[in-house]
């Protein structure tokens, strides 16, 4: 695993010192598709699962683009939560698909490739990180413009850890258990888990996948039946870990969503939450004085294997339609113009392309610490999108909810994962 992480560093570090949304490429400027002030009215529709703070950054650049391009209107629609995939499929099926849309890559390419225009020859494609080429690459073409690097791990309260006497951060399962005992000894509930959200539960499922030397190859083995979750060492370790976290969490796991665990954490009712780097602004709105950091979700006692999950998480694809060229001009503006130099600092994001430097200390506590994990190669990717169904992660999360409710036990949960993977694979072959 450690050797594999070193390989991953050489592939991915090019995407750590980078940009994506905004252009930080010196004095490069995107081309103007209407240099003469053509009054032709054109509307570019963008569909995304990202609301604020990212939405505000994109809309700021969109406004500047529209000011420079008379007659162009850009509409940004955020469809958050699990509804995004269904809405996107429905829009394209009805002939009303967006011009630019968020695309998770991997199996999403199989679903939407017929609607997409490749970006391989665009000027900004030279700055794509290798990881995103893998995620949004198919048949020798690239289809994704990666936005930012994000992390998924445990966000913890530094003050509560100090009060509990936790002097060294846990990076093994045994150390995590010891930390939980110390927290409970001072009357603190260790974990807040968003069990009401199947997608968030699947983020935990992803940890088991990340404990393989080649997670995408392992997923192919699961899909072909050459491997099973039930017989896999990492999945069995993860199941024990998951059981422990549920036992040491709040009593209302199945009714907790992001807002609920953010409130529990920000009001210091729990010491750790499973969350992503996107949560900091919401937490600080509730409690500006929070002192927070991140630690891995450690499922075993080998500290060289317990990393955070991190990836060039969010990417846009461009539809093939009458507005394709203008859409590409807009994305080029995001990627190459000077207007977005301060976007990442202002909206606290680590960029995902290699044409911009950044200061992680200006991006908030979570991303500053995540940046060190990224630079050290102590992370694995987000792999749930590699299963052959846009809702595979939601279906895995639903199985985890059955376990949380007591309807099935740990072994049955692993067995049901295998049955679900076989079912998804069979449907994909029809």
């Amino acid at each position: 695993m450690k050797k594999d992480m070193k390989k991953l560093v050489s592939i991915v570090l090019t995407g750590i010192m980078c940009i994506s949304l905004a252009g930080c490429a010196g004095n490069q400027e995107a081309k103007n598709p209407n240099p003469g002030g053509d009054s032709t009215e054109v509307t570019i529709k963008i569909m995304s699962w990202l609301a604020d703070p990212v939405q505000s950054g994109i809309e700021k650049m969109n406004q500047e683009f529209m000011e420079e391009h008379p007659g162009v209107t850009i509409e940004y629609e955020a469809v958050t939560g699990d509804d995004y995939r269904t809405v996107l499929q429905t829009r394209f099926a009805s002939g009303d698909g967006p011009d630019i849309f968020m695309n998770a890559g991997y199996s999403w390419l199989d679903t939407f490739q017929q609607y997409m225009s490749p970006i391989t020859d665009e000027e900004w494609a030279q700055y794509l990180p290798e990881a995103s080429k893998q995620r949004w690459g198919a048949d020798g073409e690239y289809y994704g413009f990666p936005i930012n690097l994000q992390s998924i791990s445990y966000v913890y309260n530094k003050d509560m850890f100090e009060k509990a006497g936790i002097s060294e951060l846990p990076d093994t399962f045994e150390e995590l258990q010891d930390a939980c005992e110390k927290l409970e000894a001072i009357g603190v509930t260790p974990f807040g888990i968003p069990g009401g959200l199947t997608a968030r539960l699947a983020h935990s499922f992803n940890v088991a996948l990340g404990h393989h030397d080649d997670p995408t190859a392992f997923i192919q083995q699961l899909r072909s039946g050459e491997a099973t979750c039930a017989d896999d060492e990492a999945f069995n370790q993860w199941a024990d870990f998951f059981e422990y976290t549920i036992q040491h969490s709040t009593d209302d796991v199945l009714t907790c969503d992001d807002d609920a665990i953010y409130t529990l954490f920000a009001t210091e009712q729990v010491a750790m939450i499973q969350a992503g780097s996107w949560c900091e602004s919401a937490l600080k709105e509730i409690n500006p004085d929070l002192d927070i950091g991140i630690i891995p979700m450690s499922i075993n006692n080998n500290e060289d294997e317990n990393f955070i999950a991190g990836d060039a998480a969010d990417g846009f694809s461009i539809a093939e339609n009458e507005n394709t060229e203008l859409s590409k001009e807009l994305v080029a503006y995001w990627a190459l113009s000077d207007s977005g130099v301060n976007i990442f600092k202002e909206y606290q994001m680590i960029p995902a392309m290699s044409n911009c430097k950044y200061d992680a200390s200006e991006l908030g506590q979570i991303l500053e610490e995540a940046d060190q994990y990224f630079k050290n190669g102590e992370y694995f990717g987000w792999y749930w999108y590699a299963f052959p169904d846009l809702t595979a992660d939601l279906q895995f999360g639903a199985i985890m909810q059955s376990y949380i409710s007591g309807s099935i036990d740990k072994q049955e949960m692993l067995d049901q994962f295998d049955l679900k993977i076989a079912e998804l694979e069979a449907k994909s072959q029809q």
Side-chain angles (χ1 to χ4, degrees):
M1 183 71 182
K2 194 171 184 179
K3 181 178 179 182
D4 182 66
M5 284 300 105
K6 291 180 179 178
K7 292 180 181 179
L8 185 60
V9 176
S10 65
I11 295 174
V12 181
L13 276 184
T14 55
I16 302 297
M17 303 299 295
C18 48
I19 185 171
S20 64
L21 275 180
C24 294
N27 293 319
Q28 298 183 79
E29 293 291 340
K31 295 177 288 185
N32 187 341
N34 297 316
D38 188 348
S39 61
T40 302
E41 297 292 331
V42 179
T43 298
I44 299 296
K45 295 181 178 180
I46 301 171
M47 184 172 164
S48 168
W49 59 63
L50 295 175
D52 281 333
V54 178
Q55 180 175 350
S56 295
I58 296 176
E59 289 187 328
K60 179 178 180 180
M61 288 187 291
N62 290 350
Q63 183 61 42
E64 294 171 358
F65 184 88
M66 287 187 285
E67 290 172 0
E68 296 181 16
H69 298 73
V72 175
T73 299
I74 303 172
E75 298 177 353
Y76 183 104
E77 179 185 11
V79 180
T80 59
D82 298 343
D83 292 338
Y84 178 86
R85 344 173 181 218
T86 302
V87 173
L88 183 62
Q89 283 183 295
T90 301
R91 296 272 179 87
F92 275 118
S94 66
D96 188 32
D99 299 290
I100 301 172
F101 62 99
M102 298 217 75
N103 183 334
Y106 292 132
S107 66
W108 286 52
L109 294 183
D110 296 332
T111 302
F112 296 109
Q113 190 174 357
Q114 61 181 311
Y115 306 115
M116 299 188 303
S117 179
I119 50 82
T120 317
D121 297 328
E122 296 302 302
E123 180 182 356
W124 49 264
Q126 64 185 299
Y127 303 116
L128 289 170
E130 289 299 319
S132 77
K133 291 180 182 179
Q134 297 173 19
R135 186 163 172 175
W136 288 284
D139 303 323
E141 301 280 9
Y142 305 134
Y143 292 92
F145 173 76
I147 296 302
N148 57 342
L149 292 173
Q150 291 184 350
S151 65
I152 298 174
S153 58
Y154 280 140
V155 178
Y156 75 97
N157 184 310
K158 293 184 177 182
D159 291 334
M160 296 177 80
F161 268 46
E162 183 177 353
K163 289 176 183 177
I166 303 170
S167 57
E168 294 188 9
L169 296 179
D171 52 17
T172 69
F173 185 37
E174 285 183 354
E175 291 172 357
L176 182 65
Q177 291 172 303
D178 181 65
C180 290
E181 290 177 5
K182 291 178 178 178
L183 288 165
E184 290 176 334
I186 63 169
V188 173
T189 300
F191 299 107
I193 300 172
L197 300 175
T198 53
R200 292 289 184 262
L201 288 175
H203 293 173
S204 177
F205 172 92
N206 182 69
V207 176
L209 298 173
H211 274 68
H212 292 84
D213 289 342
D214 188 338
T216 55
F218 176 69
I219 290 173
Q220 289 303 314
Q221 292 178 329
L222 290 175
R223 293 176 59 178
S224 68
E226 298 175 54
T228 64
C229 298
D231 294 327
D232 181 70
E233 180 182 12
F235 264 95
N236 278 274
Q237 291 173 339
W238 168 83
D240 290 339
F241 156 86
F242 185 62
E243 176 184 54
Y244 183 83
T245 63
I246 297 299
Q247 291 173 344
H248 296 268
S249 65
T250 58
D251 294 331
D252 55 351
V253 172
L254 284 175
T255 61
C256 278
D257 58 11
D258 282 339
D259 290 340
I261 66 163
Y262 293 168
T263 299
L264 288 168
F265 183 78
T267 56
E268 300 192 329
Q269 297 179 64
V270 298
M272 291 176 278
I273 58 172
Q274 175 199 306
S277 51
W278 56 80
C279 76
E280 182 162 348
S281 60
L283 295 175
K284 294 296 180 72
E285 283 184 10
I286 301 171
N287 184 353
D289 297 325
L290 275 178
D291 189 9
I292 57 180
I294 60 172
I295 55 174
M297 298 168 67
S298 299
I299 69 172
N300 65 24
N301 293 320
N302 184 349
E303 65 182 58
D304 292 330
E305 294 183 1
N306 292 310
F307 305 133
I308 68 170
D311 208 336
D314 303 307
F316 282 103
S317 292
I318 298 170
E320 184 68 60
N321 58 27
E322 66 277 7
N323 293 330
T324 296
E325 292 308 311
L326 183 56
S327 296
K328 288 183 176 180
E329 295 288 352
L330 175 58
V331 174
Y333 191 82
W334 295 350
L336 300 176
S337 73
D338 288 332
S339 66
V341 168
N342 293 316
I343 290 294
F344 289 100
K345 177 179 178 181
E346 184 175 354
Y347 295 102
Q348 296 189 321
M349 295 178 284
I350 294 179
M353 287 177 59
S354 62
N355 56 329
C356 184
K357 305 295 182 181
Y358 64 93
D359 183 348
S361 67
E362 299 175 334
L363 303 179
Q365 289 182 284
I366 293 178
L367 287 180
E368 183 176 8
E369 294 194 9
D371 186 60
Q372 287 303 309
Y373 281 96
F374 291 151
K375 288 177 178 175
N376 293 337
E378 297 174 343
Y379 69 103
F380 46 82
W382 299 4
Y383 304 111
W384 57 88
Y385 297 122
F387 290 96
D389 188 297
L390 297 189
T391 63
D393 57 327
L394 309 185
Q395 296 178 64
F396 297 140
I399 293 171
M400 294 166 68
Q401 286 180 329
S402 294
Y403 168 74
I404 295 169
S405 71
S407 300
I408 58 176
D409 61 25
K410 276 191 305 183
Q411 186 60 51
E412 289 170 327
M413 177 174 63
L414 296 176
D415 289 339
Q416 287 197 20
F417 286 154
D418 291 323
L419 291 173
K420 178 58 65 176
I421 292 168
E423 175 189 324
L424 296 176
E425 185 64 21
K427 287 183 179 178
S428 74
Q429 301 300 321
Q430 294 176 355

